[in-house]
Amino acid sequence: MKKYNILCFGDSITYGCWDKVNGGWVNRLRVAYDQSKDRYMVFNLGISGQNVLEIDERFENECKGRITDDAKNIIVIAIGINDSQIRDQKEYVSKEVFKTTLTNLIHKAKRYTSTVLCLGLTQVDEAFTCPRPTNSTIYYHNQRIQEYDQIIKQTCLENEVNYLYMFDSFTINDLSDGLHPNEIGHQKMSTKIKEKIDKLI
């Protein structure tokens, strides 16, 4: 029996917010791999609201005890949409800081495994994100999201790790609140991500 550890780092979308049926794309991934004859340990390391700086800060502590020598280890990094936001009319995380910190995060990940996958960013419905109904000082723009997505793609290329384009993985009809995917959106994400991971292992 082969053993696999899949560590999924991210924000509220990784955590599974608004998927009230199956708990988000990471949990759906775990359920799918539970059907395998091999042993898969899928870890949801998403925390709502986090940006790349916060994930970089906790990254190595999260890896300890989950990365094991007797298994194939896969690290999935799904971050950037919060970094791209405009908050109080200012960049929340600048593009320069985002790229530098993402590069550092990838370097850390490569010390644990040769199989690193960075997910691209998903689209939003700007009717509900410019601004957010719950906070009129926060804006998410698709153009900025795509600019940060390009940074992720380029950083992956420069550091020879895998990148998965996600922007058109679902439509705005698959969003629950304009920002987070609903059950259908999470299922579409999970299917696409599993297909990619299967190719990597």
Side-chain angles (χ1 to χ4, degrees):
M1 181 178 66
K2 297 178 181 178
K3 297 180 180 180
Y4 301 91
N5 297 317
I6 304 176
L7 284 66
C8 301
F9 289 87
D11 49 31
S12 56
I13 295 176
T14 301
Y15 176 73
C17 285
W18 291 98
D19 181 353
K20 298 179 181 180
V21 176
N22 284 304
W25 68 262
V26 178
N27 192 60
R28 288 170 182 268
L29 199 66
R30 182 186 67 77
V31 171
Y33 279 124
D34 280 348
Q35 313 305 313
S36 172
K37 64 182 184 343
D38 295 317
R39 193 202 75 169
Y40 285 84
M41 297 293 290
V42 180
F43 299 98
N44 189 331
L45 302 171
I47 297 179
S48 294
Q50 288 210 322
N51 58 42
V52 71
L53 294 161
E54 292 164 319
I55 289 181
D56 183 56
E57 183 177 358
R58 66 181 170 93
F59 180 81
E60 295 194 82
N61 283 335
E62 300 278 21
C63 287
K64 293 174 183 176
R66 296 184 173 98
I67 296 286
T68 58
D69 293 335
D70 64 341
K72 169 78 173 179
N73 298 293
I74 301 101
I75 292 176
V76 181
I77 299 170
I79 196 66
I81 199 163
N82 286 327
D83 303 79
S84 75
Q85 70 183 268
I86 297 294
R87 182 177 292 195
D88 295 320
Q89 300 182 345
K90 298 177 183 178
E91 288 187 324
Y92 185 47
V93 177
S94 72
K95 294 172 186 175
E96 294 76 18
V97 169
F98 180 70
K99 181 175 177 58
T100 299
T101 311
L102 179 61
T103 300
N104 186 56
L105 183 57
I106 289 172
H107 288 171
K108 288 180 181 178
K110 290 177 74 173
R111 291 202 292 267
Y112 288 98
T113 178
S114 60
T115 308
V116 179
L117 171 62
C118 292
L119 302 185
L121 306 181
T122 51
Q123 64 178 303
V124 299
D125 183 350
E126 292 183 351
F128 297 94
T129 65
C130 294
R132 294 289 288 151
T134 55
N135 189 332
S136 62
T137 69
I138 295 177
Y139 287 72
Y140 292 89
H141 298 275
N142 279 316
Q143 181 179 340
R144 282 184 57 81
I145 289 170
Q146 288 179 300
E147 290 168 358
Y148 280 69
D149 189 43
Q150 281 299 309
I151 293 172
I152 297 170
K153 182 179 180 179
Q154 183 61 34
T155 305
C156 288
L157 181 64
E158 292 170 358
N159 292 277
E160 299 180 323
V161 297
N162 301 282
Y163 162 83
L164 181 60
Y165 180 73
M166 296 294 293
F167 193 81
D168 60 359
S169 296
F170 52 76
T171 71
I172 60 173
N173 292 325
D174 301 323
L175 291 165
S176 62
D177 61 348
L179 177 62
H180 301 91
N182 59 22
E183 292 87 356
I184 295 172
H186 275 287
Q187 181 56 53
K188 289 178 178 178
M189 289 184 69
S190 181
T191 298
K192 186 169 183 176
I193 294 164
K194 184 177 184 297
E195 288 174 354
K196 180 66 173 180
I197 291 175
D198 287 345
K199 292 177 181 178
L200 296 176
I201 59 178

